[in-house]
Structures are given as C-alpha cells and as structure tokens.
Amino acid sequence: MADLIKTDLHFRIGHVLFLDIVAYSNLLITEQHDHVEKLNELVRGCHCFQHAEETDELLCLPAGDGMALVFSGTVEAAVDCALEIGRELTQHPELRVRMGIHSGPISLITDVNDRSNVAGAGINVAQRVMSRGDAGHILLSRHVAEDLEQYPRWRDCLHDLGECEVKHGQKLGIVNCYTAEAGNPETPLKLQHPARVSASDRSRWRARFVSLILGAILLALAASFFWGPGVHPERDKSIAVLPFESLSDDKQNAYFAGGIQDDVLTNLTKIGDLRVISRTSVMQYRGRPSNVREIGEALGVGAVLEGSVRREGNRVRVSVQLIDTKTDEHIWADEYERELTDVFAIQSELALQIASALQSKLSVGEQASLRRAPTKSGEAYLIYLQARDRALHAQPDEAIELLEKAIQLDPTFALAFAHLSYVQNSLYQANGDPALLEKAGAAAHEALRLQPNLPEAHFALAYNYYRGSHDYSSALRELAIAQAGLPNEADIYLVIGSIERRQGKWSESIEELKKATLLNPIDPTLWANLGTSYQAVHDFSLAAKAFDRGIATSPDFFMNHWLRAQLEIEHKGDLAPAEQLMTRIAGWPDSGGQVTYARVQLKLLQRSYDDALEILRKSELDWLSAWRPPTPVPRALLLGLTHRLRNEPERARADFEEACQIMEQAVQENPTDASRHALLGEAYAGLGRKEDALREGKRAVALLPESKDALDGPGMTLALARIHTMLGDKDEALALLEHLLATPGSVSVYHLRIDPEWDALRTDPRFESMTVSAPRKKPEPER
C-alpha cells in the first residue's frame, strides 16, 4: 500500500484526517498507553478505514497520542471516516478525542529512522485545524467545507465558526461538522469570545483605544500628504480593465476603442507587482451597465478601470476613471487628447498612472517596456488593431490578411509578426495544415530578430514548439522568458500547465492552471482544462468543483456541462446526470457537432442504437467534435460503429468504406497527426483489414506515445486496444486495458463495464477480474 500511495501523492492532493486524545487528566503512564492502543483499535475497526485500506486509498501513520489518516480518494471518505469514528467514540467516554480535516499537498518522505512518513501543507493545516477543537469536535478547514457544500447530504452537518489565527499569523477558516450521532455541537473554547473584563481593565482599554484613534487620524493625515488625495496605503493591487466605450460617430471605429482597451490591459500585464484580469473575463461586461462592487466580487479585484474613446480623423481622446470596488469611490480619473501617432504615449502614461495609483512598484525594465512604441506607422497600427479584433471574433483568415498588410506598411513591426505567428499557430491547431505551422515559426523568429526581448514573440515561438514539433523543453524555455515580460498573461500559465501535464507532471500542471483561472476566472475553457487534470489524477471532488465553476461562470459553454456529466460516468458509472443534461439542452447551438457527438455517445452507452442512428442521420455535419481526442470524428465512422453494434454488417461495411476514404485523405493532409491514424485504423478494423488497421493503430501510438504525452498518449493506446478488440485479438486488447487502468487520465473501470464496444471481451475471466475493484452496476438491457 505504501508504495502505491507514494506514487499517488507525488501528483495529487491528500485528504488528511488528523486525530488525537485531548488530555489524560491524572492517568498513569500504563493507562495512557492503554487509551492510545484502544483508540488505534477503534479506528482500525471502522468500516470506512478498512474499505480505504483494502482499495489502497489510505496511508495511516502514528502522530503523538493519535494518528494521521491520509486518504487518496475523495474528501468525503475522510469525513465519513471521522463521523464513523465519532459514533464509535460515544461508546467510549474515557477517550476524549478531537479531529481535524484538510485537503492539501502531501509528499511521502523517509525520516531519520528510515520509516515512511508524510509531510506538506495538507498535514500541517489538518493538525492546526484539529488543535482548535475540544473533545468530540470534528473540525474542517473551510476549503474542505466548500468542497462538501455542493452535495445536499452534507449541508446540514456544516456550521461555520469563522476565522482564527494559527501559526505565523496565518488566518484559517474553521467549520464544525456534527450530526445527531457524532461530533460536538458546542463552539470550541479557543474560538469563543473572551470573557468580560473588569472596570479598571475597561478604563485601561478605553485609554488605549483613544490613543489608537488619534494615531490613526495622524496617520491618515500623513498619508493624504504623502500619497495624495484619494489614495490609501496598502491598496489592493488587482485590477480589471473593462471594455472601453466607443464615442466615435463612425461606428466602423468600434474596433479602435477595443484595441486601445486591449493595449492598456496588455501594458498592465507587464507589471509584476499587479494582478491583472485577462481580456476574456472582462469582455462579458461590454455594453452592460457596470456595478463595480459586483464586478469586483466576481473577478476578485480591488479596482476597475472604466474608459471611453473618441476618434475624429487623426485626433484621439481617451477618458478613464479608476474605481475602488469595495467603496465605489474614484481613486483617480483623467482625460487625454493626442494625435493618432501619439496614441502609444497615452497608453504608456495610462499604465504608469494606474501603477502609481495602486502603489505598484515598477522595475527599470518594466518602465522601458511600457514606454516603447510598437510601430512608428499610425496606418499600420490601425490595421493591426483591426486584425486583432478579427482574431478575437474567430475570423483568423481575415486577421492573417490584415496582419500581413500591417507588416507590409512597417516591416519592422515586431509585435505584428508575433501576433501573426500566434494566429497561424491557432489556425494550425484547428485544421492541421503543416504549411501554417512553418509560416508561424518563421514569423516568430522574425519578430525576435527585430526585437529580441519581445515577450509576445517568445510566447508565439513557444506555442509553435508546443503545437508543432512537441518540443516541450524548448517551449518551456521560451515560456519562461515570455512570463518574465508578461507576468499577468493567463494564456502563458495555461500553456505551461498544458505542457507539464503532457510530461506527466500533474501536480505542477494543476498549480499552473489554477494561476490561469485566477487571472482569467470567467474563461470556461480554463475550468474545463483544470477539471480534466483533476479527473485524470482521480481527484473527483475537485474536478466536479472546477466543472461546476465553469458552468456557473459561462452557462452557455456546453463542454463543461458534458464533462461534468461524464465525470459521474467515469467515477460512478452513473448515466443519470448525462440523461438529465440531454433533456435540458434541446435546441442548443451545436458548435462543431459537440452536442451531437455527446448525444450519440450517451445513446451508445444506453445501448439505444436506433436512437443513435437517428441522431446521426439527422445531423448535417460530416465531422463531429469532442473534447478528447482533439481531431474531430467523421460521422461516417460513428455510423459504421453503431451499425456494427446493432449487428448490421452490410450497412456497417458501407459506412466504414466511406470513413476510410475520408480518413485516408485526412492522413495524407497531415501525416504527423496521431489521432487521424487512430481513426483510420478503426475504420480499417471495421472492414476486417487487419494488417492495415494494426499498422495505423501502432503508428498513432508511435507518433504520440504516453512517454511523450501523458494527456493524449493514453488515448492512442486506448484506440489501439479498441482496434484489437474489433479484430478479435483479445490477448493484446486485455493487456493494453490492464495497463491503461493504472494510467492517469485514460479509462475507468466503470466505463469499461457499461461501454458496449468492449462486449467482445466480457466473457473472458481476465476482463471480469479487471472490472471488480469497485461495486458493479447492472448494465442496461439492449434496446
């Protein structure tokens, strides 16, 4: 068990239940020892303890007069265990035990006596939570309570006790957990308000209070003199730049106001002493009346910048106001009017003024970066702004054309080259044209030749390494340079996190993705990525929380709804949430066929083959997109697989032949895309072309092995297992599935049980053995 936990805890959160005996009164040493032994026996006799130990999801270590139980499954397992222990303790009043629970990073270590031990914030915080309690208390960190609150069964058990100060001045939210059978409903003594003081003490405190007030007044006067009116020391250094209003008579100039706002925001992202919310999260407020307090709470910022832009010919007027989100008061406001060619000076001055108002420190390099104009051509800059507007509105071809035009007007426009590279890289990701990848690399290198320290160019080159050659070490090197120049750019953290999880560095990846969500909290794709990473390491409670957050911030983003429903399938084999989702989304737009693909997948799991065929026949799309794999699936292949499951070989053959033609063309267009080879292999397998099918399946694994890509690599291995199954190669398929069940982010026991594509393996005892490590759910009868 310890070896498994050691491997697990390197890349996941531990759910720690810390418990000890509060006091011994006047017991003899032998009696004290008996109590510790009795507690140890009681805990080990609990069903929750035994179940977690049997499933290799528990590490138990002695700690003083108690123990630390580290659960590697879900946080609910830790709390269930605490409540079961609490119920047992009611039969042993002589054992005065308190408990504390926290979820946090854990690492397995070897102590000086060469014994296994655990360390990390998860252990430390759980112990501090426990230390606040009295006998009978089951205390949770607020972090744990927030994870539990999403489930109705826990809500009546949780009672907030507020914050308390623990070690090193750290503030810690504490929640009391109790039921009618377990726990202590009383407020812990350490968290109760102090008793009344005497009259003389009150007099002394009154004098001290007056002294403090006078000191505060003098400090405020000094601050007003030193910092200026309307600015206070220690101001929150976080800001959201709201969409600027266009006051130009010519509505064609709306892009110009957006471009100015975007450039101001980009300038602010270069200041490491600020936290700046990304553009994606602030754009939802375009055209809406702003309630700065609500915006501040939603985005987690202390200030917002509002502004308007008027352009008349070559004259530009920019009006801005910086507002405190907590008080709704103006911190600072100003108005600028300049020639178009001097608009960069406005943006630089704005950034410097905002940094000063928020008391942010700027390095010499940051100041120089803010003052540098990207181009001397006003015409090239206007075209560049139009290009960025097209890119943001999913018009990459027009954006590329405009960027190339801006570069023709100013061949030294390094920033335009950098954005051209980024758009070309993104378009390559969508259509897989290798020529775009080559052009993107050339544009990034040209940007760096013109301006070697341009962070946007380093980011574009990193993206090219990442998406094209999968050269992760080179990509991370470039990203480190880009991050130093753009410390508030959420996309940089996203790409770093995406690379690290492909390298199998799951815990590091999760931390980077969490930083991205902090800077861009309303981007649903970030929550989808974070939830996917949590799910891969089987931290299902945090995965659910991430998907739910994505749904709450962007209800119209379908993929988070589907990923949340899929989580219940992978974690519990429960189809009900997916079924409920499909009843809610009737009439939803089907971007790229995602909704259709999800509906078909559900019908196949339900074994409702006629319904699946009807959905596919009604679809007008030839390709259907999914979250994974990244390559869309041809509709003809799904028709063939469904007819095959329905035992209609002739119809299936016709569909597979069409799918072969489609995928052969797709592979020819991009022979380095592993997913295309995998899909072609499945089409060949449907036709019984064994040699061709295995060649393509193995080619997919060779192009994207798990050792090179821990995220999508297992998907290629799974595709090869599927091909072997279709061809009747049970031994090879079972060997691959056994490997995948122990691989993060691949396939779950529950999915294997209910997915009909594995029906050919069900009678094999080895398959049965693989799928018995969790309670079985009776499969639905074929319909």
Side-chain angles (χ1 to χ4, degrees):
M1 178 185 72
D3 288 340
L4 177 63
I5 294 294
K6 181 174 182 178
T7 303
D8 236 12
L9 294 178
H10 277 298
F11 58 79
R12 57 178 310 170
I13 301 299
H15 311 296
V16 184
L17 166 56
F18 210 109
L19 65 160
D20 75 359
I21 298 174
V22 177
Y24 291 112
S25 300
N26 295 317
L27 294 180
L28 298 174
I29 295 296
T30 54
E31 293 174 312
Q32 296 174 13
H33 178 75
D34 288 342
H35 280 201
V36 173
E37 287 295 311
K38 186 178 292 186
L39 174 62
N40 186 53
E41 181 180 353
L42 182 150
V43 171
R44 290 185 175 277
C46 288
H47 172 75
C48 291
F49 181 101
Q50 294 173 352
H51 175 72
E53 196 171 44
E54 289 169 0
T55 56
D56 285 338
E57 294 182 338
L58 176 66
L59 181 63
C60 175
L61 292 169
D65 298 323
M67 64 189 72
L69 308 181
V70 183
F71 292 81
S72 61
T74 68
V75 70
E76 288 183 275
V79 182
D80 277 328
C81 189
L83 289 172
E84 185 179 3
I85 293 170
R87 289 192 294 271
E88 293 297 322
L89 285 169
T90 59
Q91 307 301 317
H92 300 276
E94 74 278 12
L95 297 179
R96 304 180 70 248
V97 176
R98 58 185 176 177
M99 293 178 262
I101 302 175
H102 177 68
S103 296
I106 296 294
S107 59
L108 193 71
I109 62 174
T110 303
D111 62 22
V112 293
N113 297 315
D114 202 34
R115 292 177 302 190
S116 294
N117 208 334
V118 287
I123 288 285
N124 298 336
V125 176
Q127 188 172 19
R128 290 169 193 167
V129 170
M130 178 202 69
S131 69
R132 302 294 97 183
D134 305 321
H137 276 124
I138 302 171
L139 301 183
L140 317 178
S141 68
R142 187 169 291 155
H143 170 70
V144 168
E146 288 173 351
D147 286 346
L148 296 176
E149 283 173 350
Q150 61 184 307
Y151 303 108
R153 65 174 285 223
W154 293 111
R155 289 171 190 158
D156 292 337
C157 307
L158 306 176
H159 309 273
D160 196 357
L161 297 174
E163 286 189 337
C164 69
E165 185 170 312
V166 291
K167 200 171 183 180
H168 305 307
Q170 178 188 3
K171 295 287 187 181
L172 189 62
I174 303 288
V175 175
N176 193 5
C177 177
Y178 59 85
T179 65
E181 298 81 24
N184 182 349
E186 298 296 327
T187 301
L189 291 174
K190 293 181 181 179
L191 300 179
Q192 291 179 8
H193 295 295
R196 288 188 173 183
V197 297
S198 65
S200 60
D201 286 336
R202 283 199 300 271
S203 177
R204 214 167 29 246
W205 281 105
R206 189 181 296 115
R208 189 172 297 176
F209 178 74
V210 172
S211 175
L212 287 171
I213 291 296
L214 289 173
I217 293 171
L218 290 173
L219 182 62
L221 291 171
S224 178
F225 175 80
F226 188 80
W227 276 284
V231 181
H232 307 283
E234 299 180 5
R235 184 175 292 284
D236 187 344
K237 298 178 184 179
S238 55
I239 183 172
V241 181
L242 301 183
F244 284 7
E245 182 184 3
S246 175
L247 301 180
S248 303
D249 294 333
D250 185 356
K251 300 305 177 186
Q252 297 282 337
N253 283 327
Y255 76 88
F256 185 75
I260 297 296
Q261 175 237 357
D262 205 26
D263 278 347
V264 170
L265 191 155
T266 300
N267 277 340
L268 290 174
T269 65
K270 298 176 181 178
I271 303 173
D273 198 35
L274 287 178
R275 181 168 64 84
V276 185
I277 299 300
S278 292
R279 188 182 193 279
T280 307
S281 286
V282 298
M283 288 314 294
Q284 64 166 324
Y285 299 106
R286 169 180 279 177
R288 290 169 46 184
S290 58
N291 182 321
V292 293
R293 296 196 185 200
E294 289 181 2
I295 293 172
E297 185 175 348
L299 300 180
V301 293
V304 298
L305 183 74
E306 295 182 331
S308 62
V309 178
R310 182 185 296 275
R311 177 186 166 211
E312 295 176 353
N314 286 327
R315 295 292 292 177
V316 178
R317 179 184 298 160
V318 180
S319 301
V320 290
Q321 52 186 352
L322 189 65
I323 306 171
D324 189 312
T325 61
K326 294 180 179 64
T327 64
D328 210 1
E329 295 177 351
H330 285 70
I331 301 172
W332 159 82
D334 210 338
E335 186 171 275
Y336 307 83
E337 186 167 357
R338 306 280 174 83
E339 293 293 323
L340 178 61
T341 53
D342 203 24
V343 72
F344 309 117
I346 296 178
Q347 296 165 358
S348 300
E349 197 172 330
L350 260 174
L352 292 169
Q353 289 267 28
I354 292 166
S356 176
L358 296 179
Q359 300 147 39
S360 181
K361 298 176 182 178
L362 276 73
S363 68
V364 174
E366 288 172 343
Q367 293 183 46
S369 177
L370 290 176
R371 291 193 170 100
R372 180 165 185 167
T375 177
K376 295 180 180 179
S377 169
E379 187 180 357
Y381 179 66
L382 285 175
I383 294 172
Y384 165 77
L385 290 183
Q386 292 179 57
R388 285 174 59 180
D389 182 71
R390 298 293 191 279
L392 290 168
H393 288 87
Q395 298 171 311
D397 292 318
E398 292 183 36
I400 289 172
E401 184 178 343
L402 288 166
L403 285 166
E404 290 173 340
K405 187 175 180 181
I407 288 168
Q408 288 175 359
L409 291 169
D410 181 3
T412 66
F413 198 168
L415 190 60
F417 275 108
H419 279 281
L420 175 62
S421 173
Y422 188 80
V423 175
Q424 288 169 330
N425 277 318
S426 300
L427 190 56
Y428 164 77
Q429 185 184 355
N431 66 20
D433 183 358
L436 276 170
L437 195 67
E438 186 177 348
K439 291 179 181 178
H445 282 293
E446 179 62 14
L448 288 171
R449 187 190 70 78
L450 293 167
Q451 196 172 332
N453 295 324
L454 184 66
E456 290 89 346
H458 285 285
F459 182 37
L461 183 57
Y463 202 66
N464 191 253
Y465 283 134
Y466 167 49
R467 286 298 180 192
S469 59
H470 305 293
D471 184 350
Y472 299 146
S473 59
S474 295
L476 288 172
R477 183 186 65 243
E478 296 298 325
L479 286 165
I481 301 171
Q483 190 177 50
L486 294 168
N488 284 286
E489 177 54 68
D491 283 348
I492 292 177
Y493 294 99
L494 168 62
V495 177
I496 293 173
S498 298
I499 290 174
E500 286 178 336
R501 67 181 175 185
R502 292 179 189 276
Q503 293 177 319
K505 301 175 182 177
W506 294 98
S507 59
E508 294 93 332
S509 165
I510 286 170
E511 289 305 311
E512 295 299 326
L513 293 173
K514 284 163 65 177
K515 292 174 187 175
T517 61
L518 185 66
L519 293 169
N520 199 357
I522 304 184
D523 185 341
T525 61
L526 291 180
W527 294 109
N529 274 284
L530 181 59
T532 298
S533 289
Y534 277 130
Q535 182 176 347
V537 297
H538 296 175
D539 202 327
F540 297 115
S541 63
L542 289 180
K545 191 173 182 180
F547 294 140
D548 288 341
R549 180 70 184 273
I551 292 167
T553 55
S554 303
D556 296 333
F557 185 70
F558 170 74
M559 194 47 63
N560 274 319
H561 291 275
W562 178 236
L563 290 172
R564 181 67 176 88
Q566 275 191 313
L567 182 68
E568 297 302 310
I569 298 173
E570 296 294 326
H571 179 31
K572 301 175 183 176
D574 185 3
L575 296 177
E579 292 166 347
Q580 293 165 8
L581 172 63
M582 294 308 159
T583 63
R584 298 198 309 267
I585 63 171
W588 271 35
D590 192 10
S591 174
Q594 290 180 346
V595 175
T596 297
Y597 184 86
R599 292 176 65 203
V600 170
Q601 290 302 302
L602 176 60
K603 291 301 180 183
L604 294 180
L605 293 178
Q606 293 173 322
R607 300 171 183 265
S608 301
Y609 304 136
D610 289 347
D611 291 343
L613 290 171
E614 184 179 0
I615 293 168
L616 288 168
R617 287 166 182 156
K618 286 183 177 179
S619 176
E620 298 177 356
L621 299 170
D622 293 328
W623 298 85
L624 303 177
S625 297
W627 183 245
R628 301 247 81 83
T631 300
V633 180
R635 185 170 65 97
L637 180 60
L638 291 172
L639 282 167
L641 293 170
T642 307
H643 277 126
R644 183 175 182 275
L645 291 170
R646 202 169 180 271
N647 198 25
E648 295 179 327
E650 292 305 317
R651 291 184 178 181
R653 184 172 187 82
D655 293 324
F656 283 131
E657 285 176 349
E658 181 182 351
C660 280
Q661 295 176 4
I662 293 171
M663 290 313 306
E664 284 170 349
Q665 175 72 25
V667 167
Q668 188 175 2
E669 290 172 355
N670 189 354
T672 63
D673 184 345
S675 296
R676 300 185 186 208
H677 288 278
L679 293 170
L680 178 56
E682 289 186 47
Y684 283 147
L687 293 174
R689 293 169 58 176
K690 184 170 185 175
E691 185 177 343
D692 293 333
L694 291 178
R695 182 192 67 241
E696 294 303 317
K698 291 176 180 178
R699 178 61 177 157
V701 171
L703 284 169
L704 206 62
E706 294 172 31
S707 59
K708 189 174 183 178
D709 191 328
L711 179 67
D712 286 333
M716 301 304 104
T717 307
L718 184 64
L720 182 57
R722 192 180 295 115
I723 290 169
H724 277 301
T725 303
M726 294 173 71
L727 295 171
D729 302 332
K730 290 186 178 182
D731 291 344
E732 291 82 356
L734 289 167
L736 292 174
L737 290 177
E738 186 174 14
H739 160 74
L740 287 169
L741 284 172
T743 303
S746 52
V747 68
S748 76
V749 167
Y750 287 107
H751 203 109
L752 290 180
R753 289 180 186 170
I754 61 177
D755 194 333
E757 70 181 354
W758 309 111
D759 282 355
L761 306 177
R762 295 194 192 284
T763 57
D764 194 297
R766 292 169 293 177
F767 186 84
E768 178 72 17
S769 176
M770 277 183 212
T771 56
V772 295
S773 60
R776 292 191 62 83
K777 181 177 179 180
K778 186 176 180 181
E780 294 287 335
E782 183 172 341
R783 283 178 266 180

